[in-house]
Short mmCIF file of all heavy atoms in Angstrom, two decimals:
data_model
loop_
_atom_site.label_atom_id
_atom_site.label_comp_id
_atom_site.label_asym_id
_atom_site.label_seq_id
_atom_site.Cartn_x
_atom_site.Cartn_y
_atom_site.Cartn_z
N ALA W 543 2.91 26.15 -16.20
CA ALA W 543 4.29 25.54 -16.09
C ALA W 543 4.45 24.61 -17.14
O ALA W 543 3.80 23.69 -17.36
CB ALA W 543 4.44 24.88 -14.68
N SER W 544 5.43 25.02 -18.12
CA SER W 544 5.53 24.20 -19.37
C SER W 544 5.78 22.70 -19.14
O SER W 544 5.29 21.95 -19.88
CB SER W 544 6.66 24.82 -20.26
OG SER W 544 7.92 24.75 -19.58
N GLU W 545 6.54 22.38 -18.11
CA GLU W 545 6.83 21.02 -17.87
C GLU W 545 5.62 20.25 -17.24
O GLU W 545 5.72 19.03 -17.19
CB GLU W 545 8.06 20.85 -16.84
CG GLU W 545 9.36 21.33 -17.51
CD GLU W 545 9.75 20.66 -18.84
OE1 GLU W 545 9.58 19.46 -18.78
OE2 GLU W 545 10.25 21.23 -19.71
N MET W 546 4.62 20.93 -16.86
CA MET W 546 3.49 20.39 -16.28
C MET W 546 2.22 20.44 -17.08
O MET W 546 1.12 19.99 -16.72
CB MET W 546 3.09 20.94 -14.87
CG MET W 546 4.25 20.79 -13.84
SD MET W 546 4.54 19.13 -13.49
CE MET W 546 3.09 18.71 -12.56
N ALA W 547 2.34 21.09 -18.32
CA ALA W 547 1.21 21.32 -19.09
C ALA W 547 0.47 20.10 -19.70
O ALA W 547 -0.65 20.10 -20.15
CB ALA W 547 1.50 22.32 -20.27
N ASP W 548 1.25 18.99 -19.74
CA ASP W 548 0.78 17.73 -20.16
C ASP W 548 0.31 16.75 -19.06
O ASP W 548 0.29 15.59 -19.21
CB ASP W 548 1.59 17.01 -21.14
CG ASP W 548 3.03 16.78 -20.66
OD1 ASP W 548 3.33 17.19 -19.46
OD2 ASP W 548 3.92 16.23 -21.35
N TRP W 549 0.18 17.31 -17.85
CA TRP W 549 -0.26 16.57 -16.62
C TRP W 549 -1.64 16.94 -16.32
O TRP W 549 -2.17 18.02 -16.73
CB TRP W 549 0.67 17.01 -15.52
CG TRP W 549 2.01 16.35 -15.37
CD1 TRP W 549 2.95 16.30 -16.47
CD2 TRP W 549 2.60 15.72 -14.33
NE1 TRP W 549 4.08 15.74 -16.03
CE2 TRP W 549 4.03 15.27 -14.82
CE3 TRP W 549 2.19 15.45 -13.05
CZ2 TRP W 549 4.83 14.57 -13.87
CZ3 TRP W 549 3.05 14.82 -12.10
CH2 TRP W 549 4.46 14.42 -12.56
N GLY W 550 -2.21 16.18 -15.45
CA GLY W 550 -3.56 16.44 -14.90
C GLY W 550 -3.93 15.57 -13.78
O GLY W 550 -3.25 14.51 -13.62
N VAL W 551 -4.97 15.83 -13.02
CA VAL W 551 -5.47 15.03 -11.95
C VAL W 551 -7.00 14.79 -12.18
O VAL W 551 -7.67 15.80 -12.49
CB VAL W 551 -5.15 15.63 -10.60
CG1 VAL W 551 -3.68 15.56 -10.19
CG2 VAL W 551 -5.67 17.03 -10.45
N VAL W 552 -7.40 13.57 -11.93
CA VAL W 552 -8.76 13.21 -12.00
C VAL W 552 -9.29 13.19 -10.64
O VAL W 552 -8.76 12.45 -9.74
CB VAL W 552 -8.96 11.95 -12.79
CG1 VAL W 552 -10.59 11.63 -12.76
CG2 VAL W 552 -8.37 11.96 -14.15
N VAL W 553 -10.27 14.05 -10.30
CA VAL W 553 -10.73 14.02 -8.85
C VAL W 553 -12.18 13.58 -8.74
O VAL W 553 -13.00 13.71 -9.71
CB VAL W 553 -10.57 15.42 -8.34
CG1 VAL W 553 -9.12 15.89 -8.31
CG2 VAL W 553 -11.38 16.45 -8.97
N ASP W 554 -12.56 13.09 -7.66
CA ASP W 554 -13.98 12.66 -7.26
C ASP W 554 -14.40 13.75 -6.26
O ASP W 554 -14.00 13.56 -5.06
CB ASP W 554 -13.97 11.25 -6.75
CG ASP W 554 -15.35 10.66 -6.82
OD1 ASP W 554 -16.35 11.41 -6.77
OD2 ASP W 554 -15.43 9.45 -6.88
N PRO W 555 -15.03 14.79 -6.59
CA PRO W 555 -15.39 15.91 -5.71
C PRO W 555 -16.07 15.50 -4.45
O PRO W 555 -15.96 16.11 -3.49
CB PRO W 555 -16.20 16.82 -6.59
CG PRO W 555 -15.87 16.54 -8.01
CD PRO W 555 -15.55 15.09 -8.03
#
Side-chain angles (χ1 to χ4, degrees):
S544 60
E545 296 298 321
M546 300 297 291
D548 55 1
W549 283 49
V551 289
V552 181
V553 301
D554 199 333

